[in-house]
PDB file of all heavy atoms in Angstrom:
ATOM      1  N   GLU A   3       1.853   4.858   1.114  1.00 63.00           N
ATOM      2  CA  GLU A   3       1.596   5.531   2.389  1.00 63.00           C
ATOM      3  C   GLU A   3       0.634   6.699   2.243  1.00 63.00           C
ATOM      4  O   GLU A   3      -0.102   7.028   3.173  1.00 63.00           O
ATOM      5  CB  GLU A   3       2.914   6.009   2.991  1.00 63.00           C
ATOM      6  CG  GLU A   3       3.839   4.871   3.414  1.00 63.00           C
ATOM      7  CD  GLU A   3       5.102   5.369   4.057  1.00 63.00           C
ATOM      8  OE1 GLU A   3       5.263   6.618   4.157  1.00 63.00           O
ATOM      9  OE2 GLU A   3       5.937   4.545   4.466  1.00 63.00           O
ATOM     10  N   TYR A  17     -27.409   4.376  -7.548  1.00 94.00           N
ATOM     11  CA  TYR A  17     -27.123   2.943  -7.584  1.00 94.00           C
ATOM     12  C   TYR A  17     -25.615   2.683  -7.503  1.00 94.00           C
ATOM     13  O   TYR A  17     -25.169   1.735  -6.860  1.00 94.00           O
ATOM     14  CB  TYR A  17     -27.653   2.317  -8.873  1.00 94.00           C
ATOM     15  CG  TYR A  17     -29.151   2.279  -9.003  1.00 94.00           C
ATOM     16  CD1 TYR A  17     -29.846   3.324  -9.618  1.00 94.00           C
ATOM     17  CD2 TYR A  17     -29.885   1.202  -8.531  1.00 94.00           C
ATOM     18  CE1 TYR A  17     -31.232   3.281  -9.750  1.00 94.00           C
ATOM     19  CE2 TYR A  17     -31.271   1.150  -8.662  1.00 94.00           C
ATOM     20  CZ  TYR A  17     -31.937   2.205  -9.271  1.00 94.00           C
ATOM     21  OH  TYR A  17     -33.299   2.162  -9.404  1.00 94.00           O
ATOM     22  N   ARG A  51     -25.316   7.524   5.899  1.00 97.00           N
ATOM     23  CA  ARG A  51     -25.340   6.124   5.470  1.00 97.00           C
ATOM     24  C   ARG A  51     -23.945   5.512   5.445  1.00 97.00           C
ATOM     25  O   ARG A  51     -23.762   4.328   5.785  1.00 97.00           O
ATOM     26  CB  ARG A  51     -25.984   6.019   4.087  1.00 97.00           C
ATOM     27  CG  ARG A  51     -26.157   4.607   3.568  1.00 97.00           C
ATOM     28  CD  ARG A  51     -27.139   4.603   2.418  1.00 97.00           C
ATOM     29  NE  ARG A  51     -27.345   3.264   1.882  1.00 97.00           N
ATOM     30  CZ  ARG A  51     -28.340   2.931   1.076  1.00 97.00           C
ATOM     31  NH1 ARG A  51     -29.223   3.839   0.706  1.00 97.00           N
ATOM     32  NH2 ARG A  51     -28.460   1.698   0.628  1.00 97.00           N
ATOM     33  N   VAL A  52     -22.941   6.296   5.041  1.00 97.00           N
ATOM     34  CA  VAL A  52     -21.577   5.763   4.980  1.00 97.00           C
ATOM     35  C   VAL A  52     -20.802   6.012   6.266  1.00 97.00           C
ATOM     36  O   VAL A  52     -19.617   5.667   6.364  1.00 97.00           O
ATOM     37  CB  VAL A  52     -20.803   6.341   3.766  1.00 97.00           C
ATOM     38  CG1 VAL A  52     -21.556   6.074   2.477  1.00 97.00           C
ATOM     39  CG2 VAL A  52     -20.520   7.830   3.937  1.00 97.00           C
ATOM     40  N   ARG A 111     -16.175  19.242 -25.239  1.00 98.00           N
ATOM     41  CA  ARG A 111     -15.701  20.263 -24.302  1.00 98.00           C
ATOM     42  C   ARG A 111     -15.039  19.620 -23.088  1.00 98.00           C
ATOM     43  O   ARG A 111     -14.037  20.114 -22.569  1.00 98.00           O
ATOM     44  CB  ARG A 111     -16.851  21.176 -23.875  1.00 98.00           C
ATOM     45  CG  ARG A 111     -17.318  22.111 -24.985  1.00 98.00           C
ATOM     46  CD  ARG A 111     -18.152  23.256 -24.460  1.00 98.00           C
ATOM     47  NE  ARG A 111     -19.466  22.804 -23.988  1.00 98.00           N
ATOM     48  CZ  ARG A 111     -19.855  22.823 -22.720  1.00 98.00           C
ATOM     49  NH1 ARG A 111     -19.028  23.253 -21.777  1.00 98.00           N
ATOM     50  NH2 ARG A 111     -21.066  22.412 -22.396  1.00 98.00           N
ATOM     51  N   GLY A 120      -4.353  17.704 -18.462  1.00 97.00           N
ATOM     52  CA  GLY A 120      -3.532  16.507 -18.359  1.00 97.00           C
ATOM     53  C   GLY A 120      -3.969  15.555 -17.263  1.00 97.00           C
ATOM     54  O   GLY A 120      -3.153  14.790 -16.732  1.00 97.00           O
ATOM     55  N   ALA A 126     -17.322   5.734 -16.508  1.00 96.00           N
ATOM     56  CA  ALA A 126     -17.917   4.761 -15.594  1.00 96.00           C
ATOM     57  C   ALA A 126     -18.269   3.462 -16.297  1.00 96.00           C
ATOM     58  O   ALA A 126     -18.121   2.370 -15.733  1.00 96.00           O
ATOM     59  CB  ALA A 126     -19.161   5.357 -14.930  1.00 96.00           C
ATOM     60  N   SER A 128     -16.767   1.947 -18.554  1.00 97.00           N
ATOM     61  CA  SER A 128     -15.597   1.141 -18.891  1.00 97.00           C
ATOM     62  C   SER A 128     -15.030   0.388 -17.699  1.00 97.00           C
ATOM     63  O   SER A 128     -14.114  -0.429 -17.859  1.00 97.00           O
ATOM     64  CB  SER A 128     -14.500   2.027 -19.494  1.00 97.00           C
ATOM     65  OG  SER A 128     -14.937   2.625 -20.703  1.00 97.00           O
ATOM     66  N   GLU A 145      -5.362 -14.724 -26.904  1.00 96.00           N
ATOM     67  CA  GLU A 145      -4.693 -15.997 -27.138  1.00 96.00           C
ATOM     68  C   GLU A 145      -5.272 -16.750 -28.343  1.00 96.00           C
ATOM     69  O   GLU A 145      -4.770 -17.810 -28.712  1.00 96.00           O
ATOM     70  CB  GLU A 145      -4.821 -16.883 -25.897  1.00 96.00           C
ATOM     71  CG  GLU A 145      -4.041 -16.343 -24.694  1.00 96.00           C
ATOM     72  CD  GLU A 145      -4.425 -17.034 -23.389  1.00 96.00           C
ATOM     73  OE1 GLU A 145      -5.339 -17.906 -23.412  1.00 96.00           O
ATOM     74  OE2 GLU A 145      -3.833 -16.695 -22.356  1.00 96.00           O
ATOM     75  N   PHE A 148     -10.999 -17.986 -29.192  1.00 96.00           N
ATOM     76  CA  PHE A 148     -12.307 -17.839 -29.830  1.00 96.00           C
ATOM     77  C   PHE A 148     -12.199 -17.378 -31.281  1.00 96.00           C
ATOM     78  O   PHE A 148     -13.200 -17.320 -31.992  1.00 96.00           O
ATOM     79  CB  PHE A 148     -13.170 -16.821 -29.079  1.00 96.00           C
ATOM     80  CG  PHE A 148     -13.424 -17.170 -27.640  1.00 96.00           C
ATOM     81  CD1 PHE A 148     -13.082 -16.279 -26.633  1.00 96.00           C
ATOM     82  CD2 PHE A 148     -13.995 -18.380 -27.285  1.00 96.00           C
ATOM     83  CE1 PHE A 148     -13.317 -16.591 -25.297  1.00 96.00           C
ATOM     84  CE2 PHE A 148     -14.235 -18.698 -25.962  1.00 96.00           C
ATOM     85  CZ  PHE A 148     -13.888 -17.805 -24.956  1.00 96.00           C
ATOM     86  N   SER A 154     -22.713 -11.266 -31.881  1.00 98.00           N
ATOM     87  CA  SER A 154     -22.930 -11.264 -30.433  1.00 98.00           C
ATOM     88  C   SER A 154     -24.367 -10.855 -30.147  1.00 98.00           C
ATOM     89  O   SER A 154     -25.032 -10.210 -30.966  1.00 98.00           O
ATOM     90  CB  SER A 154     -21.949 -10.327 -29.731  1.00 98.00           C
ATOM     91  OG  SER A 154     -22.026  -9.019 -30.267  1.00 98.00           O
ATOM     92  N   VAL A 182     -29.831  11.159 -22.296  1.00 97.00           N
ATOM     93  CA  VAL A 182     -29.929  10.929 -23.742  1.00 97.00           C
ATOM     94  C   VAL A 182     -31.187  10.157 -24.096  1.00 97.00           C
ATOM     95  O   VAL A 182     -31.843  10.423 -25.103  1.00 97.00           O
ATOM     96  CB  VAL A 182     -28.676  10.167 -24.235  1.00 97.00           C
ATOM     97  CG1 VAL A 182     -28.810   9.806 -25.706  1.00 97.00           C
ATOM     98  CG2 VAL A 182     -27.421  11.002 -23.984  1.00 97.00           C
ATOM     99  N   ALA A 185     -34.422   3.240 -21.391  1.00 98.00           N
ATOM    100  CA  ALA A 185     -33.973   1.890 -21.068  1.00 98.00           C
ATOM    101  C   ALA A 185     -32.785   1.439 -21.905  1.00 98.00           C
ATOM    102  O   ALA A 185     -31.885   0.760 -21.404  1.00 98.00           O
ATOM    103  CB  ALA A 185     -35.136   0.915 -21.247  1.00 98.00           C
ATOM    104  N   GLN A 193     -22.617  -2.557 -22.617  1.00 98.00           N
ATOM    105  CA  GLN A 193     -22.460  -3.657 -23.568  1.00 98.00           C
ATOM    106  C   GLN A 193     -21.647  -3.220 -24.784  1.00 98.00           C
ATOM    107  O   GLN A 193     -20.776  -3.960 -25.264  1.00 98.00           O
ATOM    108  CB  GLN A 193     -23.849  -4.167 -23.974  1.00 98.00           C
ATOM    109  CG  GLN A 193     -24.627  -4.738 -22.797  1.00 98.00           C
ATOM    110  CD  GLN A 193     -26.132  -4.671 -22.987  1.00 98.00           C
ATOM    111  OE1 GLN A 193     -26.648  -3.873 -23.774  1.00 98.00           O
ATOM    112  NE2 GLN A 193     -26.855  -5.500 -22.254  1.00 98.00           N
ATOM    113  N   ARG A 198     -16.620  -3.299 -27.881  1.00 98.00           N
ATOM    114  CA  ARG A 198     -15.549  -2.532 -28.525  1.00 98.00           C
ATOM    115  C   ARG A 198     -14.190  -2.989 -27.999  1.00 98.00           C
ATOM    116  O   ARG A 198     -13.234  -3.164 -28.757  1.00 98.00           O
ATOM    117  CB  ARG A 198     -15.718  -1.032 -28.252  1.00 98.00           C
ATOM    118  CG  ARG A 198     -16.870  -0.352 -28.969  1.00 98.00           C
ATOM    119  CD  ARG A 198     -16.913   1.156 -28.624  1.00 98.00           C
ATOM    120  NE  ARG A 198     -15.628   1.789 -28.860  1.00 98.00           N
ATOM    121  CZ  ARG A 198     -14.851   2.288 -27.880  1.00 98.00           C
ATOM    122  NH1 ARG A 198     -15.237   2.241 -26.620  1.00 98.00           N
ATOM    123  NH2 ARG A 198     -13.705   2.849 -28.193  1.00 98.00           N
ATOM    124  N   TRP A 199     -14.122  -3.173 -26.686  1.00 98.00           N
ATOM    125  CA  TRP A 199     -12.857  -3.537 -26.040  1.00 98.00           C
ATOM    126  C   TRP A 199     -12.442  -4.966 -26.368  1.00 98.00           C
ATOM    127  O   TRP A 199     -11.281  -5.222 -26.709  1.00 98.00           O
ATOM    128  CB  TRP A 199     -13.011  -3.343 -24.538  1.00 98.00           C
ATOM    129  CG  TRP A 199     -11.816  -3.690 -23.711  1.00 98.00           C
ATOM    130  CD1 TRP A 199     -10.584  -3.107 -23.753  1.00 98.00           C
ATOM    131  CD2 TRP A 199     -11.765  -4.710 -22.700  1.00 98.00           C
ATOM    132  NE1 TRP A 199      -9.758  -3.693 -22.813  1.00 98.00           N
ATOM    133  CE2 TRP A 199     -10.455  -4.670 -22.158  1.00 98.00           C
ATOM    134  CE3 TRP A 199     -12.680  -5.614 -22.187  1.00 98.00           C
ATOM    135  CZ2 TRP A 199     -10.055  -5.518 -21.128  1.00 98.00           C
ATOM    136  CZ3 TRP A 199     -12.280  -6.453 -21.163  1.00 98.00           C
ATOM    137  CH2 TRP A 199     -10.986  -6.413 -20.648  1.00 98.00           C
ATOM    138  N   LEU A 220     -44.515   7.475 -20.128  1.00 97.00           N
ATOM    139  CA  LEU A 220     -43.084   7.640 -19.925  1.00 97.00           C
ATOM    140  C   LEU A 220     -42.510   8.449 -21.090  1.00 97.00           C
ATOM    141  O   LEU A 220     -42.826   8.180 -22.250  1.00 97.00           O
ATOM    142  CB  LEU A 220     -42.414   6.270 -19.851  1.00 97.00           C
ATOM    143  CG  LEU A 220     -41.005   6.211 -19.243  1.00 97.00           C
ATOM    144  CD1 LEU A 220     -41.051   6.523 -17.756  1.00 97.00           C
ATOM    145  CD2 LEU A 220     -40.389   4.833 -19.474  1.00 97.00           C
ATOM    146  N   GLY A 226     -35.777  -1.073 -26.042  1.00 98.00           N
ATOM    147  CA  GLY A 226     -34.951  -0.734 -27.193  1.00 98.00           C
ATOM    148  C   GLY A 226     -34.179  -1.937 -27.680  1.00 98.00           C
ATOM    149  O   GLY A 226     -33.719  -2.765 -26.878  1.00 98.00           O
ATOM    150  N   GLY A 269     -27.926 -14.023 -14.292  1.00 81.00           N
ATOM    151  CA  GLY A 269     -28.905 -14.458 -13.309  1.00 81.00           C
ATOM    152  C   GLY A 269     -28.546 -15.782 -12.673  1.00 81.00           C
ATOM    153  O   GLY A 269     -28.735 -15.983 -11.472  1.00 81.00           O
ATOM    154  N   GLN A 294     -18.132  -7.796 -11.659  1.00 68.00           N
ATOM    155  CA  GLN A 294     -18.234  -6.385 -11.303  1.00 68.00           C
ATOM    156  C   GLN A 294     -16.871  -5.862 -10.865  1.00 68.00           C
ATOM    157  O   GLN A 294     -16.025  -6.614 -10.365  1.00 68.00           O
ATOM    158  CB  GLN A 294     -19.255  -6.181 -10.173  1.00 68.00           C
ATOM    159  CG  GLN A 294     -20.658  -6.667 -10.496  1.00 68.00           C
ATOM    160  CD  GLN A 294     -21.315  -5.878 -11.607  1.00 68.00           C
ATOM    161  OE1 GLN A 294     -21.092  -4.673 -11.722  1.00 68.00           O
ATOM    162  NE2 GLN A 294     -22.109  -6.551 -12.420  1.00 68.00           N
ATOM    163  N   THR A 314     -10.237   5.650 -21.750  1.00 98.00           N
ATOM    164  CA  THR A 314      -9.962   7.080 -21.697  1.00 98.00           C
ATOM    165  C   THR A 314     -11.216   7.878 -22.023  1.00 98.00           C
ATOM    166  O   THR A 314     -12.276   7.319 -22.313  1.00 98.00           O
ATOM    167  CB  THR A 314      -8.877   7.442 -22.725  1.00 98.00           C
ATOM    168  OG1 THR A 314      -9.418   7.269 -24.045  1.00 98.00           O
ATOM    169  CG2 THR A 314      -7.635   6.572 -22.571  1.00 98.00           C
ATOM    170  N   GLU A 345     -12.920   7.892 -38.190  1.00 61.00           N
ATOM    171  CA  GLU A 345     -11.602   8.299 -37.718  1.00 61.00           C
ATOM    172  C   GLU A 345     -10.786   7.070 -37.345  1.00 61.00           C
ATOM    173  O   GLU A 345     -11.308   5.993 -37.104  1.00 61.00           O
ATOM    174  CB  GLU A 345     -11.745   9.207 -36.498  1.00 61.00           C
ATOM    175  CG  GLU A 345     -12.509  10.501 -36.798  1.00 61.00           C
ATOM    176  CD  GLU A 345     -12.835  11.255 -35.511  1.00 61.00           C
ATOM    177  OE1 GLU A 345     -12.402  10.809 -34.451  1.00 61.00           O
ATOM    178  OE2 GLU A 345     -13.546  12.275 -35.598  1.00 61.00           O
TER     179      GLU A 345
END
Side-chain angles (χ1 to χ4, degrees):
E3 293 183 359
Y17 292 91
R51 184 164 180 165
V52 304
R111 289 197 290 113
S128 298
E145 293 167 357
F148 301 124
S154 55
V182 175
Q193 297 154 338
R198 288 181 53 247
W199 179 62
L220 197 68
Q294 301 294 325
T314 68
E345 298 170 4

